[in-house]
Amino acid sequence: MRIPIRDVTPTLERATIAGWVHEERDLGGLAFFLIRDRTGIMQVTVPKKKVPEEVLIAIKEVSRESVVRVSGIIKATEKAPGGRELVPESFEILAKAASPLPLDVAEKVPAEIDTRLDARFLDVRRPRIAAIFSIRSRVMEATHSFLFREEFLQITTPKVVAAATEGGTELFPIAYFEKEAFLSQSPQLYKQMMMAAGCEKVFEIGPIFRAEEHNTVRHLNEATSIDVEVSFADHNDVMVLLERLMHEIYSSVAENCTAELELLGIPNLQVPEKSLPRLPYAEAIEIAARKMEEPIAYGDDLGTASERAVGEEMGTHYFITEWPTAIRPYYAMPSAADPSICNAFDLMHPKMELSSGAQRCHVYDQLVAQIKSKGLSPEGFEFYLKPFQYGMPPHAGWGLGTERLVMTMCNLQNIREAVLFPRDRHRVTP
């Protein structure tokens, strides 16, 4: 029976392993193979005068990245990975790989991002790349565990919609029988409707689509959003929820992904504090104006350069709060003390925005007025507005970008590295 490589210890007498040929070296009378599975790498040492003839035939035919099954004797040796090696009694080629390979899985020859994404099935065989997706999986597990423990209800909302979430034109139109339809930008409207349904605490983790013509290292046209909505809560309540979730995610990764973090050159992952700094928008603009050469003024949105300037000053995760109502979506609740400011926030990593949220406007007439103030037609939001006429509780929520979270946590240079098969302006395959 096959044993995962990580479970093959020097104390075992014999073992059968299966995986891919990571590297091979032939020194004449002695040949070495590194065999890799998802759990690790093991050395197979072939003393040619002491192994069966069938083994010699197989090692002559095998190529790098071929799938093999090897059985034999385990020996302790300090020079081999894991302090043990396998001397084969059988060496079976299960699937031979063609040569040359589209990219070097052993990473001795670097490959450009487009080459890697074109051969993503090979790229993810690389231990360092596989580590990213092990960490991403742990992020998802920690998120689910935290929200279920907090008694959230998991929901699924439509990804084919008739109207934009926030107005605007950043939509992907699709052919949907005789109707006009679009891919959903966000579950925002639907999760708010579930507050009227009495669900009180809901979350969804799913794809969102933005038809933005970006071509940057931090934007995707299909992303995975972690969305929550909470009844009888304001912006402060859900900011506390978000910082607790971030602490939980980072703690789980730090505890359970030590080997993966080592592969990525992050031996000591810094876990965010449970209480993060709150930086008012006006102060963020002042910092950006002071540190940047580009002009920026109150009422401007924070672009890439300004986010980095403020992030350098803050040096940690932080919230930007007290945004001008004029530049936030129609559903953000204006402050009772100063309606020109709304109860909205962004969670920031020093390098970029990770999450956006707010207390929502739950009063029907006020919401209609705010939709009109943005130059939108309330008639286009009839299905969304209807629940607000029949008892909508105060509520708040946020959306957190999975890829940006993984990108910043793993210190990746391109957001495409944080998703298996990215979709951007130019890429729809594989």
Side-chain angles (χ1 to χ4, degrees):
M1 181 180 293
R2 175 213 172 195
I3 300 175
I5 285 175
R6 69 179 170 208
D7 296 337
V8 180
T9 64
T11 58
L12 290 177
E13 293 183 3
R14 320 178 79 81
T16 297
I17 63 172
W20 288 259
V21 177
H22 190 67
E23 289 193 66
E24 55 183 331
R25 281 188 301 146
D26 194 325
L27 303 180
L30 202 60
F32 297 94
F33 293 85
L34 294 183
I35 308 301
R36 183 193 71 249
D37 70 7
R38 63 173 290 193
T39 68
I41 292 177
M42 184 167 185
Q43 179 175 294
V44 172
T45 303
V46 185
K48 294 183 181 179
K49 293 183 179 180
K50 297 182 180 180
V51 297
E53 183 67 23
E54 310 87 74
V55 171
L56 295 177
I57 293 171
I59 66 169
K60 287 181 181 179
E61 294 181 356
V62 77
S63 56
R64 288 178 60 198
E65 292 307 310
S66 294
V67 182
V68 299
R69 179 164 49 220
V70 187
S71 298
I73 299 167
I74 303 300
K75 292 185 176 181
T77 173
E78 294 182 359
K79 295 182 179 180
R84 78 283 194 248
E85 65 182 3
L86 188 153
V87 179
E89 297 172 325
S90 69
F91 194 112
E92 182 183 0
I93 301 174
L94 301 178
K96 188 174 180 179
S99 296
L101 296 168
L103 57 84
D104 180 14
V105 176
E107 299 196 66
K108 292 182 178 179
V109 179
E112 297 294 329
I113 186 70
D114 283 336
T115 300
R116 292 173 48 203
L117 294 177
D118 287 341
R120 194 57 152 161
F121 63 93
L122 271 179
D123 189 46
V124 179
R125 292 185 193 180
R126 296 156 66 187
R128 187 179 64 85
I129 305 306
I132 296 170
F133 295 100
S134 292
I135 290 171
R136 178 172 171 141
S137 180
R138 179 62 61 176
V139 167
M140 292 293 96
E141 180 183 355
T143 301
H144 278 93
S145 296
F146 175 85
L147 293 173
F148 282 132
R149 196 165 63 247
E150 293 288 318
E151 300 184 341
F152 275 74
L153 178 72
Q154 185 172 16
I155 63 171
T156 303
T157 62
K159 303 305 165 221
V160 176
V161 298
T165 305
E166 301 176 9
T169 59
E170 296 167 349
L171 292 161
F172 286 110
I174 60 172
Y176 194 73
F177 303 104
E178 67 279 0
K179 299 177 184 289
E180 181 181 53
F182 306 92
L183 294 178
S184 177
Q185 295 173 306
S186 163
Q188 178 66 43
L189 307 188
Y190 292 96
K191 63 179 183 172
Q192 284 191 260
M193 291 167 68
M194 298 311 294
M195 298 300 95
C199 294
E200 295 193 12
K201 299 167 77 172
V202 303
F203 81 95
E204 177 175 19
I205 301 176
I208 59 171
F209 304 88
R210 300 288 173 97
E212 298 170 337
E213 295 187 356
H214 293 302
N215 190 23
T216 76
V217 296
R218 51 193 270 170
H219 288 94
L220 293 167
N221 294 109
E222 178 183 357
T224 305
S225 184
I226 303 167
D227 274 87
V228 309
E229 206 71 27
V230 185
S231 289
F232 309 109
D234 64 15
H235 54 302
N236 293 309
D237 297 319
V238 293
M239 276 195 284
V240 170
L241 178 76
L242 180 52
E243 60 194 357
R244 287 177 54 224
L245 172 61
M246 291 290 291
H247 181 84
E248 175 104 355
I249 289 172
Y250 268 77
S251 296
S252 180
V253 170
E255 179 180 352
N256 296 289
C257 299
T258 53
E260 291 85 352
L261 290 167
E262 286 279 356
L263 282 169
L264 292 169
I266 311 171
N268 297 299
L269 181 66
Q270 296 299 308
V271 178
E273 297 293 333
K274 287 185 178 179
S275 181
L276 299 175
R278 270 73 165 156
L279 179 70
Y281 165 87
E283 293 182 25
I285 290 294
E286 289 178 5
I287 293 171
R290 185 176 72 247
K291 294 177 70 76
M292 290 197 321
E293 295 181 1
E294 303 171 16
I296 187 169
Y298 189 93
D300 292 339
D301 206 351
L302 293 169
T304 301
S306 51
E307 285 180 355
R308 286 188 177 273
V310 179
E312 288 173 4
E313 180 94 358
M314 300 300 291
T316 184
H317 288 85
Y318 64 100
F319 288 104
I320 299 179
T321 61
E322 300 178 22
W323 285 77
T325 304
I327 63 173
R328 296 299 282 205
Y330 58 82
Y331 47 76
M333 174 67 83
S335 168
D338 180 0
S340 70
I341 294 172
C342 61
N343 296 338
F345 59 87
D346 285 351
L347 172 65
M348 308 296 295
H349 181 274
K351 292 182 179 179
M352 67 185 70
E353 174 195 332
L354 301 181
S355 173
S356 184
Q359 178 183 357
R360 322 302 189 185
C361 179
H362 66 282
V363 180
Y364 176 81
D365 290 340
Q366 184 182 22
L367 182 57
V368 169
Q370 290 183 191
I371 290 173
K372 291 179 178 178
S373 74
K374 300 292 184 180
L376 303 172
S377 170
E379 288 73 22
F381 296 87
E382 183 179 358
F383 80 96
Y384 164 67
L385 287 169
K386 190 172 183 179
F388 288 83
Q389 295 178 288
Y390 298 96
M392 176 67 79
H395 58 283
W398 42 257
L400 171 64
T402 302
E403 286 78 19
R404 287 192 174 194
L405 173 58
V406 174
M407 178 186 179
T408 51
M409 176 185 287
C410 296
N411 197 27
L412 306 177
Q413 300 306 305
N414 193 316
I415 197 168
R416 290 156 186 80
E417 292 194 89
V419 57
L420 281 170
F421 302 106
R423 293 293 177 258
D424 58 29
R425 188 177 176 185
H426 304 292
R427 181 173 290 277
V428 291
T429 60

